Amino acid sequence: MKLFFRWSHEEGHVSKNPAAKIKEPKAGKRIPKFLTEIEIEYLREACTSPLEKALFEFMFSTGCRIGEIVTLQRSRINWSNRSAIVRGKGDKEREVYFNIRCEIWLKRYLEQRQDGDAAIFVTERYPHRMSIAQMRYIIKRISKRAGINKTIHPHQLRHSYATHMLNNGAPLEVIQSLLGHEKSETTRIYAQLSGSLRQELYRKYF
């Protein structure tokens, strides 16, 4: 009805839109798809080059959005505490962290590079800053080798990062901060995925 009256008003069929102030129902949020620990290991095993290993480990261990990784500069890496400053939604900066495995492969990848590009990840041919489409292609290539019967995309690694942290007992406020979520409601959806943690807490407290 809102669309119909909006169209009628814009086309001049009615002088006033009677449905202008009607609020649309909020669409329910879908539970994010995530990967199990064994699927993560299959993907990890399927990486064949320092680039693939570095990109996969960085995506998974930081939980960054793909757009944040694409724009990341090498100079924004702090090796002393295994962290990076990324620019997220709304042009806001935040500090993210990566693990030792990621540090090892990231250093190996960067050490083998012979280009002077400032980007953290560059294309394999004629090195220049990698695009979002190229990063997606690499993750798709890894997932094909892994033989996982799922359509895998980079954002699933972000969902998996959040889910695994929650299952390991991390507070939602910490996960919210690390993911760069502005609203806590966005992070709370991961609580629905945390079946094993809920079961453990039930047995502990009931």
Side-chain angles (χ1 to χ4, degrees):
M1 291 299 289
K2 277 181 71 72
L3 288 171
F4 171 72
F5 280 114
R6 186 188 301 156
W7 172 83
S8 299
H9 182 247
E10 287 172 356
E11 292 293 316
H13 299 300
V14 293
S15 59
K16 191 177 179 182
N17 181 358
K21 292 184 179 179
I22 296 174
K23 290 183 179 179
E24 294 177 22
K26 287 185 178 179
K29 289 189 176 181
R30 290 184 298 174
I31 294 177
K33 292 179 180 177
F34 68 101
L35 300 163
T36 63
E37 288 186 29
I38 194 165
E39 287 171 334
I40 291 292
E41 288 306 318
Y42 278 133
L43 289 167
R44 184 172 277 141
E45 197 178 57
C47 297
T48 58
S49 67
L51 164 61
E52 287 184 350
K53 288 179 184 291
L55 180 59
F56 174 81
E57 295 297 346
F58 194 83
M59 277 188 177
F60 180 58
S61 69
T62 62
C64 282
R65 300 176 181 95
I66 191 169
E68 295 168 344
I69 301 173
V70 163
T71 57
L72 182 62
Q73 304 282 79
R74 281 200 259 186
S75 59
R76 303 295 268 170
I77 300 287
N78 183 340
W79 297 105
S80 62
N81 68 345
R82 291 194 296 274
S83 69
I85 303 295
V86 297
R87 195 176 293 276
K89 285 186 177 180
D91 216 30
K92 291 179 181 176
E93 289 190 341
R94 76 178 188 283
E95 189 173 40
V96 296
Y97 305 93
F98 49 89
N99 58 21
I100 292 172
R101 183 190 275 118
C102 178
E103 179 187 8
I104 290 168
W105 283 111
L106 202 52
K107 281 182 174 177
R108 284 180 184 173
Y109 164 65
L110 292 172
E111 283 165 6
Q112 73 159 23
R113 274 175 53 183
Q114 297 178 346
D115 63 275
D117 201 291
I120 190 75
F121 291 107
V122 294
T123 54
E124 293 169 278
R125 290 184 182 180
Y126 313 110
H128 60 276
R129 186 180 297 276
M130 201 177 282
S131 69
I132 286 176
Q134 287 164 329
M135 280 193 185
R136 282 186 179 139
Y137 172 75
I138 289 173
I139 296 302
K140 190 176 180 180
R141 186 170 70 189
I142 294 167
S143 67
K144 273 190 175 180
R145 274 193 230 116
I148 298 171
N149 192 24
K150 276 184 182 179
T151 303
I152 294 176
H153 51 82
H155 217 67
Q156 274 176 296
L157 294 175
R158 179 171 160 87
H159 294 325
S160 304
Y161 161 87
T163 307
H164 291 194
M165 282 200 73
L166 191 65
N167 280 335
N168 288 330
L172 278 171
E173 299 77 31
V174 173
I175 299 171
Q176 179 185 347
S177 174
L178 289 169
L179 288 174
H181 285 161
E182 194 172 320
K183 297 177 181 178
S184 59
E185 290 78 15
T186 312
T187 315
R188 281 200 190 100
I189 197 165
Y190 291 104
Q192 298 177 51
L193 304 171
S194 189
S196 61
L197 180 61
R198 289 202 310 272
Q199 187 180 57
E200 182 185 326
L201 292 173
Y202 172 81
R203 288 174 178 168
K204 181 178 178 181
Y205 295 114
F206 188 78

